[in-house]
Amino acid sequence: MELSVVVPTLNGRDRLGGCLDALSRAAPDAEVIVVNGPSADGTTGMVRDRDDVDVLVEVSARMVTVARNAGIEVASGDVIAIVGYDVHVSPNWIAGITAGFENASVVTGPVQKADSEARSSVEQRTIAGRSVTYVQTDNVAFEADTLTGLDGYDEYLATGGSRDISHRLAGMSESVAYEPSMCVTRINSDGNDRDWGWKYRALAYRLVKNYGIRPTVCRRTLSHATSDSIAAAKDVARGEGKPSAWFGTGRDVVVGMTTGFSDGLVARARDRSPSRNPHGISKRADRAVARYDWRNMTNQE
């Protein structure tokens, strides 16, 4: 197995350093590709000073799906893993990947917090008669040929790219293995305010793009919205939220769902193939603004 590891990062220099240290210990022979951008915390200099990174790609977009695809584009391994910049891979990470590929073309493993145990089972759903096994956002490995068939991640999505790729893998009848030993630990992750508009825009988009307009899709979308609305209303009742914020969130959810449904229909019409990816790797060639490739000792800008 020739393993390439893609690590997208944005303003996470210190945590990225810890991630790369862990990768060097657990996977010293892997090709490591860092995709940075656009960071303003000295990440570029830190990476260029290391001797355990093979390729540094600088991108201008602030979307992780773009960063993942930029890394996949330059990866040379027959297996390509995607990990978050704020995780540490376990000593058994490589063994877990190897074991998973005995039965599947995609392997994913748990992402645990430093002070908690990893979940012991994979998340699965049946949607429109299709069994979907969800891959972990920051801990997944693909056979390179499988990623080629998928055309990478859908760059329309600012969030939910891994959920979308899980639906597309199911649509292409690609198997996904869950290996508990392929574990990573998330270190000191910052809490971020949820963008409710994008959450529901992404949810509606990926469901409509992959399954079309059908009762199951509408029911799942409305179910999510209802659950979140009830939770937010309870926060208001407890004095932990403001009614104006609750109404504002509701507006964002409605706008996001409407936009996602519309754009999902357009995407479904644009790509009728099983890969369902009208915004994939093959659709553009301008992701990287600079590339430092120490495999061949060349720089491209």
Side-chain angles (χ1 to χ4, degrees), residues 48-210:
R48 293 180 67 179
D49 286 341
R50 298 182 67 105
D51 59 7
D52 54 359
V53 175
D54 296 283
V55 184
L56 169 63
V57 182
E58 302 277 0
V59 295
S60 59
R62 297 178 66 89
M63 292 178 65
V64 69
T65 46
V66 175
R68 291 171 185 151
N69 281 351
I72 292 167
E73 277 187 299
V74 302
S76 64
D78 57 0
V79 171
I80 302 173
I82 314 288
V83 301
Y85 71 89
D86 58 350
V87 305
H88 291 183
V89 301
S90 68
N92 294 323
W93 187 69
I94 289 286
I97 292 175
T98 303
F101 278 121
E102 293 179 0
N103 302 305
S105 58
V106 181
V107 188
T108 191
V111 179
Q112 66 179 18
K113 294 183 180 179
D115 57 352
S116 65
E117 294 184 358
R119 64 182 298 164
S120 59
S121 60
V122 68
E123 183 182 2
Q124 293 179 314
R125 295 286 186 276
T126 299
I127 303 174
R130 182 186 301 175
S131 178
V132 180
T133 300
Y134 290 108
V135 303
Q136 287 284 358
T137 298
D138 292 323
N139 186 24
V140 60
F142 304 84
E143 290 183 351
D145 288 345
T146 298
L147 273 177
T148 299
L150 288 163
D151 203 15
Y153 287 79
D154 187 331
E155 294 180 11
Y156 170 90
L157 291 162
T159 186
S162 294
R163 307 289 281 193
D164 175 68
I165 216 168
S166 302
H167 292 293
R168 295 192 288 121
L169 284 166
M172 295 172 64
S173 299
E174 294 284 355
S175 54
V176 178
Y178 182 80
E179 283 293 330
S181 61
M182 183 189 166
C183 182
V184 303
T185 302
R186 194 178 303 281
I187 305 298
N188 298 326
S189 182
D190 295 331
N192 296 316
D193 292 334
R194 184 182 294 274
D195 186 330
W196 291 103
W198 248 115
K199 174 184 176 179
Y200 281 93
R201 180 176 173 180
L203 174 63
Y205 171 85
R206 64 179 181 260
L207 289 177
V208 171
K209 182 189 69 166
N210 286 292

